[in-house]
Amino acid sequence: MSNLVQRLLTAAVLVPILIIELFVDKTPWSILAMAVLATAAAHDEFVRMALPRIAGDDGPRDDPAPGLRAVVLTLGAGLMIACTVFGPDKAMAPALTIIAMGLGAVILARKHALDRAAHTLVACFASILYIPLLATTWPLIKADLPNGAAWLFVTLGIAFFSDTVAYFFGRFFGRHKLYPAVSPKKTWEGSFGGLVGGVSIAVGFGSLWLIPEMPIGHAVALGVLGSACGQIGDLVESMIKRGFGVKDSGTLLPGHGGMLDRVDALLFVAPVVYFYVRLVLPLAGA
């Protein structure tokens, strides 16, 4: 079965679930639940790549520090839940403070792994900032923004449709390499196609349909900015995988690799949309 067919089959399963959670469930809780699960999977993939297998850890040799991973994933999920329930303005600073102090105490207590404690501490801190912190905006878009379900739909569309259009533009028109040292297959032509895809979603599904209160000029700006940041997120994950010497972050999603491989762009797109709507549109009187 081709990679493209596997991707389409995976999308055929996940997209209807997302539509129900976006538009049928009027609360943010089902989206929060899915976001926490997806983030936990992506977070675990990152931590598995980043943490060395240290003598004395429980579990098989290909399962580094399962106890520590459980703590890190729990703290990441707690950050997302706290920010959605209490709001990021109230919850973000206390949650990150607890995470920093808690991780330090837990890693300090791992006496058998003190020779790699600095590496472990940095990897765990980085994992929280890279995945759960950025992913916190997924449920917040629905919970915290007016017409939040529509905004989250557009956010997902910018992230995933940009990637799809970039793939086809790169496949049929790609001639000039974008960043071969990090991702040899990506091209400037594919990157331009991604921008076209982002603008198409922001204008077509945003301004002209679900979010008529958003001016078309802002939709174009958001489509370009969101797609560009999503492409950076894709390249950042490619850089991380190259540094760790792996091809895919995992095998959870057929045709996509791991969960982190699927949401790498969304991690960077969602904060752009969230803060654009909260900070830029009000200043523009939109």
Side-chain angles (χ1 to χ4, degrees), residues 107-277:
I107 294 171
L108 185 64
R110 302 176 76 237
K111 294 182 179 180
H112 68 282
L114 288 179
D115 59 327
R116 298 302 301 273
H119 173 105
T120 302
L121 185 63
V122 170
C124 290
F125 279 149
S127 76
I128 294 285
L129 296 178
Y130 174 42
I131 301 176
L133 179 63
L134 295 179
T136 294
T137 52
W138 301 353
L140 281 177
I141 288 173
K142 184 175 181 182
D144 207 28
L145 298 182
N147 201 9
W151 278 112
L152 185 53
F153 182 86
V154 169
T155 302
L156 295 167
I158 291 174
F160 298 138
F161 191 65
S162 292
D163 182 62
T164 301
V165 177
Y167 170 81
F168 284 107
F169 265 60
R171 182 172 181 178
F172 292 108
F173 307 112
R175 297 292 184 274
H176 304 88
K177 298 298 183 182
L178 177 63
Y179 201 161
V182 170
S183 186
K185 293 184 179 181
K186 287 184 170 56
T187 64
W188 282 104
E189 293 81 3
S191 178
F192 175 75
L195 298 180
V196 171
V199 171
S200 299
I201 290 293
V203 173
F205 285 87
S207 285
L208 299 181
W209 185 22
L210 296 173
I211 314 172
E213 64 272 20
M214 176 171 60
I216 289 182
H218 280 283
V220 172
L222 186 58
V224 170
L225 184 61
S227 176
C229 290
Q231 293 181 48
I232 292 172
D234 194 328
L235 288 171
V236 166
E237 199 232 356
S238 295
M239 176 182 66
I240 291 169
K241 291 189 296 184
R242 183 171 290 271
F244 290 138
V246 300
K247 181 179 182 296
D248 294 321
S249 65
T251 58
L252 181 63
L253 300 175
H256 297 283
M259 181 62 72
L260 185 56
D261 295 319
R262 180 66 286 187
V263 302
D264 52 2
L266 183 60
L267 287 171
F268 279 52
V269 173
V272 169
V273 173
Y274 179 72
F275 289 111
Y276 194 96
V277 177

Side-chain angles (χ1 to χ4, degrees), residues 58-71:
D58 294 330
R61 292 196 60 79
D62 62 348
D63 188 15
L68 177 59
R69 288 203 335 270
V71 171

